[in-house]
Amino acid sequence: MAFSTTMLSWGTLEYGKRMGPQLQNSRAAIRWATDYLIKCATTTPNTLYVGVGDPTADHKCWERPEDMDTVRTVYSVSPRNPGSDVAGETAAALAAASMVFRKVDPKYSRLLLATAKKVMQFAMQYRGAYSDSLGSAVCPFYCSYSGYKDELLWGAAWLWRATNDASYLNFLQSLGANDASDIFSWDNKLAGARVLLSRRALIGNDKRVESFKQQAEDFMCRILPNSPSSSTSYTQGGLMFKLAQSNLQYVTSITFLLSTYAKYMTASKHTFNCGSVRVSSATLRNLAKQQVDYILGENPLKMSYMVGFGANFPKRIHHRGASIPSKASHPEAIGCDSGFQSFFYTSNPNPNILTGAIVGGPNQNDGFPDDRTDYSHSEPATYINAAIVGPLAYLAGSYSS
């Protein structure tokens, strides 16, 4: 949730002027999340609440949110049970959002930034991964596979951008988070932090972050299909393919970085090389456009992976509220187990259309079974959607920066 909020905020900061009437909706969505994150961070001193509900118990039910009666267990991290990863991401979300609201709601913006600083301090001071502290409350669903150093880098990069306080720059330079990366997701933020920091190098000509710009370009060279150092597979239809489980989450997040680095390159008239291959802002922009076009229906199946968009889109998404009749049409309660036989295992289309949701996407052969039980391909997620808002605004707004 925090990563979704950071990405939606970043998209709004970079592309807000191209969002037209959607800018208000974007701010409203960010505020909905940050109101909650502020509560999580300020309700109890030295405690960050990070989850509600036992994921194993909740996954055993197929029921509407209105009918849920599973125990609402609350999980938190603290100095004795640290979670630098979840705290670093929460700090990033609050700091990024503080810039979104800086002019339109200065008081709220100040509260966001003050809270972000406290949460970042907690992440830096009490080191540890939340999966180690919380175990089965977060694993295997959202385990911190990449550790917490990437979130410390990401959180500090956002706080530096929001405050201009050089102590955050000193901290992130001392981290030694120098591993090469060819992915960007809710779990691994290295590439995102490097692109964010590159903004200062390219637009601000700040030599202190030159090494992060080099790492950002190394990342781009690992993504581009014609680069000699590419480590990214593409399907025959042209879709970036990273991992079998919910692949589109990587596509939307990486596409955000392609668009945004292209934007910085255009503004600074910058190009770089991958070996002997010259890379211009147009190179990155064209790949970003190709990925967005694929998601929206330019693919071998002519399938839009955005629900409700285009003539052909997923009809059996893995989503409880979408797959079970609404309270209006079925007022009686549907219990924890009752939803499986009638609504989960059926081949009938979902009764409710979750307009705009992007699902996990096709397999490596450009195939898509549209099967509700196949969560790797049919499940939507906020972090898939949040990352594509920026690229959509970028492409809709025109090609000029």
Side-chain angles (χ1 to χ4, degrees), residues 1-11 30 33-34 37 85-94 96-97 130 142 150-151 154-155 158 183-193 248-257 381-388:
M1 181 178 174
F3 177 69
S4 299
T5 310
T6 310
M7 292 308 294
L8 197 52
S9 298
W10 194 4
I30 293 164
T34 51
L37 295 175
D85 33 28
V86 70
E89 183 60 75
T90 303
L94 294 165
Y130 90 142
Y142 288 104
D150 56 307
E151 277 87 10
W154 177 240
W158 274 110
I183 206 155
F184 179 45
S185 70
W186 61 262
D187 181 40
N188 190 327
K189 318 293 162 42
L190 289 174
L248 287 187
Q249 66 175 305
Y250 308 108
V251 180
T252 62
S253 295
I254 291 170
T255 296
F256 186 103
L257 298 186
T382 56
Y383 46 84
I384 304 178
N385 267 74
I388 205 173

Side-chain angles (χ1 to χ4, degrees), residues 13 68 78 86 232 274 298 304:
L13 289 171
M68 281 176 80
S78 63
V86 70
T232 303
C274 297
E298 283 188 27
S304 159

